[in-house]
Amino acid sequence: MKSYKHGLSIGINRVDNEFFLFLKAIGKLSHEDYEKINPMIDNALLGIKEAKIKALIDATQLEGWELRAAWDDFKLGLKHGSEFEKIAIYGNEKWQEYISKIASWFISGEVKFFENEEEAIKWLKN
């Protein structure tokens, strides 16, 4: 039986002298994925109150969300949306670009979609 890999990974990436919150989404995300990742995101953002966060999201392997997981993602955006200065999403599907436009409605900072990781990082650094 073939296993189906899906989930979110979170980390801090350093590019030159700047640090970015890095998220990579893989497969079709489930409610259970968010139950695991939400406390990690909460903890990662816990100590950051004054500074605005720049985030880089790799959606190149994202296939979508289960319905309940989409709601979890929406609630996560509402909870932490004011903490972000910029979110760069890079992917390879037109629907991912549409999702990034919808996300911008709930984030106080800028959200922009890219098809290239280097362009996404360059935009975050400016």
Side-chain angles (χ1 to χ4, degrees):
M1 181 175 177
K2 185 179 177 186
S3 65
Y4 179 66
K5 183 177 176 183
H6 63 98
L8 287 162
S9 61
I10 182 171
I12 303 293
N13 280 11
R14 182 176 179 174
V15 179
D16 299 325
N17 290 323
E18 294 206 49
F19 291 88
F20 304 107
L21 180 67
F22 177 76
L23 292 164
K24 181 170 180 127
I26 299 170
K28 187 172 186 179
L29 300 179
S30 70
H31 173 67
E32 290 77 22
D33 294 330
Y34 280 90
E35 285 184 324
K36 300 284 189 229
I37 198 72
N38 282 351
M40 291 184 221
I41 291 173
D42 290 344
N43 286 334
L45 301 179
L46 188 62
I48 304 172
K49 292 299 173 214
E50 293 82 30
K52 291 290 187 176
I53 301 160
K54 293 181 180 179
L56 179 62
I57 300 174
D58 178 350
T60 55
Q61 295 180 40
L62 176 64
E63 295 172 15
W65 294 265
E66 293 176 358
L67 184 57
R68 191 166 174 196
W71 176 248
D72 291 332
D73 193 65
F74 174 72
K75 289 190 303 186
L76 183 66
L78 289 178
K79 182 175 184 180
H80 292 293
S82 64
E83 298 168 27
F84 290 92
E85 178 183 345
K86 287 183 169 183
I87 299 176
I89 301 169
Y90 72 96
N92 48 19
E93 300 286 340
K94 194 68 176 170
W95 66 266
Q96 295 167 342
E97 184 174 0
Y98 297 137
I99 293 292
S100 68
K101 288 179 177 155
I102 293 168
S104 69
W105 300 342
F106 305 101
I107 305 294
S108 63
E110 298 176 75
V111 180
K112 194 166 179 183
F113 180 81
F114 298 88
E115 293 180 354
N116 177 293
E117 182 180 16
E118 283 124 31
E119 289 176 20
I121 290 171
K122 183 178 175 183
W123 177 75
L124 283 174
K125 289 171 71 173
N126 290 331

